[in-house]
Amino acid sequence: MNADGSDPHQVTHVGAANFAPFFFPDGKRILFASNVKDPRGPNFDLYAVNDDGSGLEQVTTYEGFDGFPMFSPDGKQLVFASSRYGKPGETNVFLADWKE
């Protein structure tokens, strides 16, 4: 949408929960969390999409929760929350080097 709030438009159309959007450093793509593979389930992975909604790409593949992605200011690292490697009910913060 515009800075004044006019002209909002939906980016994702996947029939699932999509949240925690964060722009790629290039400003043309968006990284977000979604349960698109199982819309009724708790398995959330990270996905990338172009800002016009095209080019959906799965970024993580974990049978649990991955969410709240953010890039470092220089775009070289990705930080996100995940339930991987933890005890049941635990969510931890992970840092990964980003490679295009």
Side-chain angles (χ1 to χ4, degrees):
M1 82 172 96
N2 298 324
D4 66 1
S6 63
D7 195 29
H9 64 278
Q10 184 175 337
V11 176
T12 58
H13 301 272
V14 296
N18 306 295
F19 69 95
F22 197 87
F23 270 100
F24 276 72
D26 66 12
K28 298 177 183 175
R29 296 176 292 162
I30 302 167
L31 191 62
F32 65 98
S34 180
N35 64 346
V36 67
K37 293 269 181 151
D38 183 12
R40 296 189 185 272
N43 181 13
F44 283 82
D45 284 303
L46 301 183
Y47 290 83
V49 67
N50 295 325
D51 64 3
D52 66 359
S54 67
L56 182 68
E57 177 184 1
Q58 188 170 354
V59 174
T60 62
T61 55
Y62 172 65
E63 293 295 324
F65 175 81
D66 287 337
F68 306 108
M70 297 176 77
F71 282 103
S72 60
D74 63 6
K76 292 182 179 181
Q77 293 186 304
L78 174 68
V79 64
F80 63 99
S82 180
S83 62
R84 62 185 73 208
Y85 311 133
K87 298 174 186 170
E90 189 175 271
T91 302
N92 292 294
V93 176
F94 289 81
L95 184 64
D97 290 334
W98 182 257
K99 307 286 183 192
E100 284 289 335

